[in-house]
Amino acid sequence: MEIQSIFDEIQSLSAFELFRLQSAIYKTLEDPERVKALRQKIHVGMKVDYFCTERNHAIPCSVLKVSRSRVDVEEHDTQKRWSLPFYSLNLDHIETELVLPRTKGISKATLFIGSTVGFINNRDNTEHIGQVTKLNPKRAVILVNNTPWTVPYSMLFPVISCGSQEHDQMLLPR
């Protein structure tokens, strides 16, 4: 099943229809047979990704403990530990990035903490490039040279980084 096509379809649903869909999905996720089947797939030491709804991004982690309905994991990058429901693990390696067709700006659904984006300051018409540090309902917080900017999603544009930014790269002598 392609998540992107489902995501595209639900864009036209009313708030109530989305609420009903959320309720049905939650009941399906909490179904005891489904939980049991997921528990059987998970084992201590397993390397997986979990989807962090706060950061809107898949996070690589290792399984530390498997309980009755939850799993304890440790993030590879930060060593933070979390207790998560089984269904938050991406056991089938499904693509988590969603792309919204928009004419202006970037959708909150396509951003994640750490995304590199840019915007143009309307006051002095200067371009700024930074990393997303927080996703609020209407605006993102973008860190530019250690200064946080609160910017509406409609003003953001994607920045494709090649990984050789001058301030991050240092040539070492042989």
Side-chain angles (χ1 to χ4, degrees), residues 152-169:
Y153 294 108
S154 62
M155 291 179 62
L156 297 176
F157 57 84
V159 174
I160 300 170
S161 174
C162 67
S164 62
Q165 298 172 350
E166 292 176 20
H167 63 280
D168 286 343
Q169 188 174 23

Side-chain angles (χ1 to χ4, degrees), residues 5-19:
S5 62
I6 293 170
F7 189 73
D8 292 341
E9 283 291 318
I10 66 171
Q11 296 302 307
S12 62
L13 295 179
S14 71
F16 182 74
E17 289 170 318
L18 288 170
F19 169 73

Side-chain angles (χ1 to χ4, degrees), residues 41-141:
K41 290 183 178 181
I42 303 167
H43 58 84
V44 173
M46 187 177 195
K47 295 189 183 320
V48 294
D49 291 343
Y50 78 91
F51 188 79
C52 178
T53 55
E54 192 173 285
R55 292 181 263 182
N56 201 32
H57 191 57
I59 311 294
C61 64
S62 295
V63 174
L64 301 174
K65 179 182 172 188
V66 181
S67 300
R68 189 173 57 81
S69 63
R70 298 181 74 78
V71 61
D72 293 354
V73 299
E74 180 179 76
E75 292 181 9
H76 291 170
D77 293 341
T78 65
Q79 281 68 52
K80 288 183 179 177
R81 293 180 176 203
W82 303 99
S83 177
L84 305 168
F86 295 146
Y87 54 76
S88 64
L89 298 181
N90 189 358
L91 298 173
D92 299 320
H93 310 289
I94 296 169
E95 178 61 43
T96 59
E97 185 174 329
L98 297 174
V99 179
L100 277 179
R102 290 181 67 94
T103 55
K104 186 176 178 187
I106 298 178
S107 165
K108 178 182 175 183
T110 61
L111 290 177
F112 57 89
I113 304 297
S115 297
T116 301
V117 295
F119 63 95
I120 296 178
N121 185 351
N122 289 339
R123 292 187 182 142
D124 58 4
N125 208 28
T126 57
E127 182 179 277
H128 298 281
I129 296 176
Q131 279 70 43
V132 176
T133 59
K134 187 173 182 184
L135 299 170
N136 293 320
K138 293 183 181 180
R139 299 174 190 325
V141 178

Side-chain angles (χ1 to χ4, degrees), residues 31-42 68 86:
D31 176 57
E33 292 301 315
R34 185 176 293 264
V35 170
K36 181 180 177 184
L38 286 172
R39 186 183 323 111
Q40 291 173 347
K41 290 183 178 181
I42 303 167
R68 189 173 57 81
F86 295 146

